[in-house]
Amino acid sequence: MKRSIIKLFFVGGLLAFSAVNAQSTEKTLTKEQIEAKKKAAAEEKAKLPKPYHPEANAELDIQNAVKLAKKTHKNVIIQAGGNWCIWCLRFNNYVQQTPELKKVVDDNYVYYHLNWSPENKNEKIFASYGNPGEKFGYPVFIVLDENGKQIHTQDSSVLEEGSGYSLEKVKKFFTTWKPKKS
């Protein structure tokens, strides 16, 4: 009986060790796999629209977005990021290519892409919104009401699903922060 228990623990330990070891080797990528992933990401990035403009006067653009929002009784969504950011480009493309999301955005928001890149970090603008990119990374979303008051900052990572975004989570984000119609 004692020997059976010892054998059972030994076999159980071996199985546990094998399972842990198998999981760690599955997650380890070869240099070739890493390079292939980088190449695929670069090819994807090259095909996606580039909505960020480092040369833009972001302060003036946001003032104009707020004026339009006030006139049309919409909120402003500021999508902060850059053309260097695959997740920023994916989000923009996802919203533009998903009719259900595009309608919610077009009906309720004035949309602005606030650039953050080595060419133009827009430090003054980012500081005025609490530097959310430092906390959450990119993209990060800043929601303003029609008067330009910051009412929400959204971490985009909670909207992700796989190598893209969740329709349900993104739609909930947009519908939660749309203007309250009276």
Side-chain angles (χ1 to χ4, degrees):
M1 178 75 171
K2 208 175 190 181
R3 282 188 176 163
S4 296
I5 293 173
I6 292 171
K7 283 182 183 177
L8 187 61
F9 277 115
F10 179 74
V11 170
L14 278 176
L15 287 174
F17 175 78
S18 296
V20 168
N21 200 24
Q23 287 176 349
S24 65
T25 55
E26 281 179 19
K27 293 179 185 177
T28 305
L29 298 176
T30 66
K31 188 175 180 178
E32 291 80 17
Q33 290 170 321
I34 292 169
E35 290 304 316
K37 282 185 172 247
K38 284 181 184 178
K39 183 180 178 192
E43 288 172 359
E44 178 187 0
K45 198 184 319 182
K47 293 177 186 173
L48 294 170
K50 309 297 185 283
Y52 295 92
H53 300 282
E55 73 286 353
N57 180 339
E59 189 171 6
L60 181 61
D61 289 349
I62 292 170
Q63 287 172 5
N64 289 333
V66 169
K67 284 179 191 172
L68 180 59
K70 188 167 187 77
K71 183 178 175 182
T72 57
H73 303 292
K74 294 180 177 184
N75 284 347
V76 176
I77 290 263
I78 299 173
Q79 180 180 326
N83 294 328
W84 52 268
C85 168
I86 189 72
W87 285 95
C88 301
L89 301 179
R90 281 178 181 158
F91 190 87
N92 175 69
N93 193 59
Y94 183 60
V95 171
Q96 295 302 312
Q97 299 300 317
T98 308
E100 188 177 348
L101 295 176
K102 185 161 176 34
K103 179 165 177 37
V104 173
V105 168
D106 291 346
D107 290 350
N108 296 288
Y109 297 98
V110 175
Y111 211 96
Y112 183 70
H113 290 88
L114 176 59
N115 183 76
W116 187 96
S117 67
E119 301 88 15
N120 186 354
K121 295 179 181 177
N122 283 305
E123 292 168 312
K124 182 179 171 189
I125 301 288
F126 277 97
S128 72
Y129 297 123
N131 290 313
E134 290 178 9
K135 181 177 182 183
F136 298 118
Y138 297 97
V140 63
F141 305 95
I142 303 159
V143 183
L144 310 178
D145 67 14
E146 68 177 42
N147 297 308
K149 179 183 175 213
Q150 184 175 353
I151 57 173
H152 183 66
T153 303
Q154 180 66 50
D155 173 6
S156 65
S157 68
V158 300
L159 306 175
E160 294 173 10
E161 187 173 84
S163 62
Y165 289 94
S166 161
L167 177 62
E168 293 78 26
K169 292 175 184 177
V170 173
K171 187 174 180 185
K172 183 178 180 192
F173 162 61
F174 285 137
T175 55
T176 298
W177 295 102
K178 69 183 186 179
K180 309 299 180 226
K181 306 286 182 185
S182 27

